[in-house]
């Protein structure tokens, strides 16, 4: 049962999410072409950095936040089988986030906020940009509140029962997001906005970077959890089988929630303002949080194998051919897992305390995170959209073959784009440059790779446009979709009861609080004890 | 609770992998490979008045005990001095401070890398195994001229360096 309010909320949240995504794909293509240096007339650092800033904000903040809000309303109502709590509040959240997005877009598109999506001070953007970004986040907090309240209400009425997996993961994500966004919210509210409005003359970039690092890694799990929900809750059923283990799935989500928070310093390995021991602590945490992802890989592969064997597949690998490769959800899951394995390997290199120096801030890094974000995460967002768009619009998916083509082209494009990026990173090319001006023998070796990247970008743009066309045509389709129910995968064994702490919101939050105090307490407090020197704002 | 025996095995494998990665980090720590982390503050507005980062003091210094230190300032859009020469196969300690915004330093094909955050001194000690001309790039977006922010480092063979710098000489 999905009520009309949730369907409409999902629809409009996703319209914003995917519109932002499409614009960002055009910008992304422009960037690879500009950066290649092959077209003189395109060369413009000013346009390039405005474009990079907008691309990053649209992809990382707008696409994800709106997609996750829309998906959450659907998961909550369909898995808990109850109507949405306070739809009015949900719409308010939608509009607050939308207004924030528009407020941030104005300075971004008019060259008043070319500070990249990581906005590292003391380069200063227009105050409107910071205020818009803050509102986007505030709007998403409405969503978090609704998810938590619905879970608490359900639990009160169903004491002793385990929460449905999809909702368990969604609540974990809502809590994760509240904790995660607190870091950047403090930076924006206490440092950036007063400083951009001229109330404060100076700020401490070291503190700003530390607060941003608080947000910068767990935010990735905020984006990733909906993709994991699809892997656990839709993929096994669509493949024709069962979920291998529901208990381990819950532990994986719990692990992501608790351990993804205190690890942000692996983004600060090369920074001077934090001590080596704190970086090491966060580094160890980073490797621990790989465990839930390794468990996820195992569970999903096992579920796929069960499905393949139920479909008659034999032998060690025979089951692979027996999977329903023509089901978009299954195809997306397989392609996502491939990219997750490669992207995860790159992440291990980045997180390696000593190895990081070779690749820090080089092209390797966008290569890596495009595999994880644009590869794994976004390809599963596509799959979720193909799966649920008919259920929220009430229209049949216009063409399964087009959907499969779109997924394959996205995979091919991402491979063409991210492979040269990794190589360029190892050859030392910095990220975040608009052209190569270094008059050096070492940098001549970078040239041939740019061509592959342009090809990759072109394929990706075509794929993105195709995605938009499929959704648009489906929305306008005259054929009616009759099956509006969302079906979740059944576990192979009925879930046995989990220990009480594994189902307790309070326990999770207390553990996180403790870990955050240990890992961020002194590293933030030190700025109030050290004799620090603050920075004046700079233009760009 | 239900954990499949197969799943239990996989968990052990996963934990084993993590232990392996962590082990290799601890081994590299033991041989002294660690990120730049000297929490040391400096006033970016008064660098020219500080003794260490005053204009006259920038560049390559040979300490009385033979160690080599390089003092540099990062500012839009260059690392100053714009060209330095250092010996190969010799530990070299770089110290940077920023006069304006955030910068990042990297020399391609080496592990010489650090962020230069205004208000803090960044320090890296490294050894260059191969002589040659290296660009010293800014790898953090620092404004519209960021692409043009690079300086040159010439790494010369150790013998060449020793011929040019008989013991105790200042560069
Ligand atoms: Cu710079």
């Amino acid at each position: 049962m999905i009520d009309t309010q949730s369907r409409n909320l999902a629809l409009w949240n996703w319209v914003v999410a995917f519109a932002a995504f499409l614009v960002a794909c055009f910008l992304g293509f422009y960037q690879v072409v500009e950066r290649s240096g092959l077209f003189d007339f395109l060369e413009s650092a000013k346009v390039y950095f405005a474009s990079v800033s907008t691309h990053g904000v649209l992809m990382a903040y707008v696409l994800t936040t709106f997609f996750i809000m829309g998906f959450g309303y659907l998961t909550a109502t369909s898995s808990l089988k109850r109507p949405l709590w306070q739809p009015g509040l949900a719409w308010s959240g939608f509009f607050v986030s939308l207004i924030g997005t528009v407020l941030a877009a104005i300075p971004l598109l008019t060259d008043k906020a070319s500070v990249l999506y990581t906005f590292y001070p003391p380069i200063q953007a227009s105050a409107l940009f910071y205020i818009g970004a803050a509102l986007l986040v505030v709007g998403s907090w409405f969503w978090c509140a609704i998810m938590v309240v619905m879970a608490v209400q359900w639990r009160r009425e169903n004491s002793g029962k385990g929460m449905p997996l999809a909702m368990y993961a969604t609540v974990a994500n809502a809590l994760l997001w509240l904790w995660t966004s607190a870091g950047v919210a403090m930076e924006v509210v206490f440092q950036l906005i007063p400083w951009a409005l001229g109330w404060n003359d100076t700020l401490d970039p070291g503190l700003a970077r530390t607060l941003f690092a608080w947000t910068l890694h767990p935010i990735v799990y905020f984006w990733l959890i909906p993709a994991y929900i699809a892997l656990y809750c839709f993929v096994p059923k669509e493949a024709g089988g069962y979920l291998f283990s529901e208990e381990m799935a819950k532990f994986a989500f719990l692990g992501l929630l608790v351990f993804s928070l205190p690890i942000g310093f692996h983004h600060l390995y090369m920074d001077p303002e934090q001590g080596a021991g704190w970086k090491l602590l966060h580094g160890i945490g980073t490797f621990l949080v790989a465990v839930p992802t390794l468990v996820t890989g195992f569970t999903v592969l096992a579920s796929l194998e069960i499905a393949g064997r139920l479909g008659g597949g034999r032998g060690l690998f025979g089951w692979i051919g027996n999977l329903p490769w023509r089901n978009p959800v299954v195809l997306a899951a397989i392609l996502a897992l491939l990219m997750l394995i490669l992207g995860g390997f790159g992440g291990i290199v980045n997180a390696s305390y000593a190895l990081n120096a070779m690749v820090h801030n080089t092209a390797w890094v966008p290569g890596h995170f495009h595999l994880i974000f644009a590869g794994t995460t976004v390809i599963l967002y596509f799959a979720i959209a193909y799966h649920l768009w008919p259920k929220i619009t009430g229209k049949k998916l216009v063409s399964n073959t087009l959907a499969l083509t779109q997924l394959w082209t996205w995979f091919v494009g991402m491979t063409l784009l991210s492979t040269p990026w990794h190589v360029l990173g190892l050859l030392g090319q910095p990220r975040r440059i608009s052209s190569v001006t270094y008059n050096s023998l070492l940098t001549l070796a970078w040239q041939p790779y740019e061509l592959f990247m342009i090809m990759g970008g072109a394929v990706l743009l075509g794929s993105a446009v195709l995605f938009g066309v499929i959704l648009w045509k489906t929305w306008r389709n005259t054929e009616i979709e009759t099956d509006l129910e969302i079906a979740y995968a059944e576990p192979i064994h009925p879930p046995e009861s989990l220990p009480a702490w594994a189902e307790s919101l309070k326990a999770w939050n207390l553990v996180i609080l403790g870990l955050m105090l240990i890992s961020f307490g002194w590293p933030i407090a030190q700025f109030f004890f050290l004799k620090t020197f603050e920075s004046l704002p700079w233009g760009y | 609770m239900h954990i499949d025996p197969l799943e239990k095995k996989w968990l052990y494998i996963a934990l084993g992998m993590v232990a392996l990665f962590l082990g290799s980090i601890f081994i590299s720590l033991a041989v002294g490979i660690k990120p730049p982390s000297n929490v040391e503050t400096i006033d970016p507005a008064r660098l020219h008045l500080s003794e260490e980062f005053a204009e006259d003091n920038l560049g390559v210094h040979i300490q009385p005990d033979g160690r080599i230190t390089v003092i540099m300032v990062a500012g839009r859009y260059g690392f100053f001095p714009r060209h330095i020469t250092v010996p190969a196969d010799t530990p070299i300690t770089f110290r940077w401070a920023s006069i304006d915004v955030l910068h990042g330093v990297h020399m391609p094909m080496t592990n010489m890398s650090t962020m230069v955050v205004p208000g803090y001194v960044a320090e890296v000690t490294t050894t260059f195994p191969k002589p040659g001309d290296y660009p010293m790039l800014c790898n953090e977006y620092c404004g519209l001229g960021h692409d043009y922010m690079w300086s040159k480092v010439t790494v010369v063979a150790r013998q060449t360096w020793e011929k040019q710098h008989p013991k105790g000489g200042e560069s």
Side-chain angles (χ1 to χ4, degrees):
Chain A
M1 178 200 71
I2 331 172
D3 56 332
T4 322
Q5 286 286 4
S6 314
R7 285 171 55 191
N8 281 332
L9 275 160
L11 182 68
W12 288 104
N13 272 290
W14 285 7
V15 166
V16 177
F18 295 137
F21 166 74
L22 270 176
V23 174
C25 284
F26 278 94
L27 295 174
F29 179 61
Y30 155 77
Q31 284 152 220
V32 280
V33 177
E34 200 273 4
R35 195 185 157 104
S36 71
L38 297 172
F39 306 91
D40 277 344
F41 64 96
L42 277 178
E43 298 282 298
S44 162
K46 201 167 135 172
V47 180
Y48 181 84
F49 287 116
S51 166
V52 174
S53 306
T54 314
H55 174 86
V57 168
L58 288 178
M59 286 293 196
Y61 304 142
V62 182
L63 161 67
T64 48
T65 308
F66 282 93
F67 179 85
I68 291 166
M69 291 197 289
F71 187 42
Y73 296 131
L74 294 178
T75 359
T77 49
S78 65
S79 71
L80 298 181
K81 298 190 172 40
R82 57 190 302 145
L84 191 66
W85 180 74
Q86 299 288 357
L89 198 64
W91 283 111
S92 314
F94 170 76
F95 284 111
V96 171
S97 288
L98 187 60
I99 291 167
T101 304
V102 174
L103 289 186
I106 297 167
L108 277 169
L109 295 171
T110 51
D111 185 37
K112 299 275 188 297
S114 296
V115 292
L116 310 195
Y117 80 107
T118 39
F119 44 84
Y120 293 136
I123 297 185
Q124 194 182 60
S126 140
L128 203 58
F129 171 68
Y130 301 123
I131 294 170
L135 283 179
L136 170 60
V137 173
V138 169
S140 70
W141 289 345
F142 289 49
W143 172 84
C144 293
I146 295 169
M147 294 299 108
V148 172
V149 169
M150 284 184 74
V152 169
Q153 286 178 340
W154 182 90
R155 185 155 291 161
R156 219 172 273 147
E157 291 161 26
N158 297 271
S159 60
K161 272 205 246 172
M163 185 168 292
L165 177 59
M167 190 58 188
Y168 187 92
T170 304
V171 177
N173 207 17
L175 293 177
L176 174 69
W177 181 231
L178 286 172
W179 275 100
T180 306
S181 52
V184 76
M186 285 189 274
E187 183 197 357
V188 170
V189 172
F190 297 122
Q191 289 193 288
L192 297 179
I193 292 179
W195 175 68
L197 288 172
W199 300 344
N200 287 352
D201 294 333
T202 58
L203 56 63
D204 186 341
L207 175 60
R209 287 177 68 72
T210 302
L211 290 173
F212 198 78
W214 165 323
T215 298
L216 194 54
H217 204 75
I219 198 174
V220 176
Y221 292 97
F222 171 62
W223 305 333
L224 205 55
I225 282 182
Y228 280 16
I229 294 178
L231 287 178
Y232 280 114
C233 299
F234 297 153
V235 172
K237 193 173 182 78
E238 291 296 305
Y242 300 91
L243 173 60
F244 185 76
S245 165
E246 183 164 319
E247 283 101 330
M248 283 312 280
K250 285 194 174 178
F251 277 119
F253 285 116
L254 195 53
L256 290 180
L257 164 61
V258 172
F259 293 113
S260 72
L261 273 145
I263 62 173
F265 280 12
H266 68 231
H267 293 267
L268 299 185
Y269 280 163
M270 292 297 122
D271 270 44
E273 77 276 2
Q274 293 293 349
W278 297 106
K279 293 178 182 174
L280 183 62
L281 182 72
H282 286 233
I284 294 170
T286 307
F287 284 102
L288 287 181
V289 85
V291 174
T293 292
L294 289 166
V295 167
T296 302
F298 177 84
T299 310
V300 177
L301 277 175
S303 308
L304 284 174
E305 182 177 347
I306 292 166
R309 291 197 188 283
L310 285 174
R314 299 197 184 281
L316 196 52
F317 297 109
W319 57 272
I320 298 175
N322 267 61
L323 290 171
W325 284 76
R326 290 193 52 83
N327 181 314
V329 177
V330 176
L331 175 65
I334 296 167
L335 300 180
L337 281 178
L338 284 174
M339 290 189 274
L340 182 63
I341 292 168
L342 296 171
F345 165 75
I348 285 168
V349 172
N350 296 342
S352 296
Y353 200 60
L355 218 49
N356 179 266
M358 270 301 274
V359 294
H360 171 79
N361 260 350
T362 65
W364 170 281
V365 177
H368 154 70
F369 75 69
H370 275 77
L371 274 180
I372 296 280
F373 178 74
T376 316
T377 308
V378 171
I379 209 167
L380 284 162
Y381 286 10
F382 293 151
I384 295 171
Y386 290 139
H387 193 48
L388 299 183
W389 191 253
K391 297 181 194 296
I392 60 179
T393 57
K395 309 290 175 57
K396 270 210 160 24
L397 188 66
V398 72
S399 160
N400 198 58
T401 308
L402 279 185
L404 297 173
T405 313
Q406 191 269 325
L407 294 171
W408 275 114
T409 45
W410 189 260
F411 176 71
V412 170
M414 204 45 78
T415 311
L416 280 175
L417 183 71
S418 60
T419 311
W421 239 333
H422 280 89
V423 179
L424 284 171
L426 292 177
L427 296 177
Q429 184 179 93
R431 65 194 287 208
R432 296 172 175 154
I433 49 168
S434 75
S435 64
V436 174
T437 59
Y438 321 115
N439 184 16
S440 151
L441 280 176
L442 278 176
T443 63
L444 282 177
W446 299 349
Q447 222 119 63
Y449 298 96
E450 308 283 353
L451 273 176
F452 281 95
M453 296 187 66
I454 295 180
M455 275 157 49
V459 175
L460 285 168
L461 179 60
S463 178
V465 170
L466 182 57
F467 174 69
V469 170
I470 295 171
L471 291 196
W472 176 255
K473 292 225 161 186
T474 299
W475 200 1
R476 296 274 151 252
N477 201 351
T478 44
E479 268 188 275
I480 301 297
E481 170 76 45
T482 45
D483 179 18
L484 300 183
E485 292 292 309
I486 300 179
Y488 294 99
E490 300 283 336
I492 199 161
H493 302 284
E496 292 164 39
S497 60
L498 280 185
W501 55 263
E503 294 268 356
S504 155
L505 304 189
K506 203 169 156 194
W508 303 349
N509 282 308
L510 282 175
V511 174
I512 296 172
L513 179 68
L515 287 175
M516 288 302 274
L517 277 176
I518 293 170
S519 53
F520 276 96
W522 173 252
I524 289 178
Q526 67 162 354
F527 294 102
F528 300 93
F529 296 110
L530 280 174
K531 170 141 187 58
T532 53
F533 301 91
E534 303 205 324
S535 290
L536 289 162
W538 291 81
Y540 38 84
Chain B
M1 270 308 294
H2 164 85
I3 301 180
D4 195 271
L6 208 57
E7 198 155 37
K8 219 173 248 171
K9 265 186 213 152
W10 173 247
L11 257 180
Y12 290 137
I13 295 175
L15 289 171
M17 275 158 64
V18 167
L20 205 68
F21 294 138
L22 289 177
S24 58
I25 287 177
F26 284 112
I27 289 171
S28 54
L29 261 182
V31 298
I33 303 175
K34 61 177 182 57
S37 303
N38 61 319
V39 186
E40 180 185 342
T41 63
I42 191 163
D43 187 351
R46 301 171 63 83
L47 281 188
H48 56 296
L49 300 178
S50 73
E51 212 165 282
E52 188 179 5
F53 291 93
E55 208 173 336
D56 293 345
N57 197 44
L58 300 181
V60 182
H61 298 273
I62 304 169
Q63 304 297 336
D65 60 356
R67 284 182 310 113
I68 295 179
T69 53
V70 182
I71 311 298
M72 295 185 88
V73 160
R76 302 198 298 184
Y77 293 103
F79 296 101
F80 305 96
R82 300 304 300 258
H83 182 205
I84 56 167
T85 303
V86 292
D89 299 316
T90 313
I92 296 164
T93 300
F94 287 92
R95 283 167 64 81
W96 290 271
S98 166
I99 45 170
D100 42 38
V101 301
L102 197 62
H103 300 280
V105 206
H106 181 57
M107 284 165 58
M109 314 305 287
T110 76
N111 64 356
M112 204 289 293
S113 172
T114 184
M115 301 300 296
V116 187
V117 180
Y120 301 85
V121 178
E123 186 182 298
V124 176
T125 302
T126 193
T127 304
F128 301 115
K130 265 174 82 175
D133 270 340
Y134 293 81
M136 177 185 267
L137 316 174
C138 176
N139 68 8
E140 183 58 87
Y141 171 68
C142 56
L144 294 181
H146 166 56
D147 299 347
Y148 296 90
M149 180 159 171
W150 61 284
S151 300
K152 218 162 97 178
V153 178
T154 304
V155 178
V156 296
R158 207 176 158 140
Q159 299 95 310
T160 320
W161 173 267
E162 276 164 2
K163 247 180 253 155
Q164 288 166 357
H165 301 272
K167 268 199 171 20
E170 179 85 346
S171 116

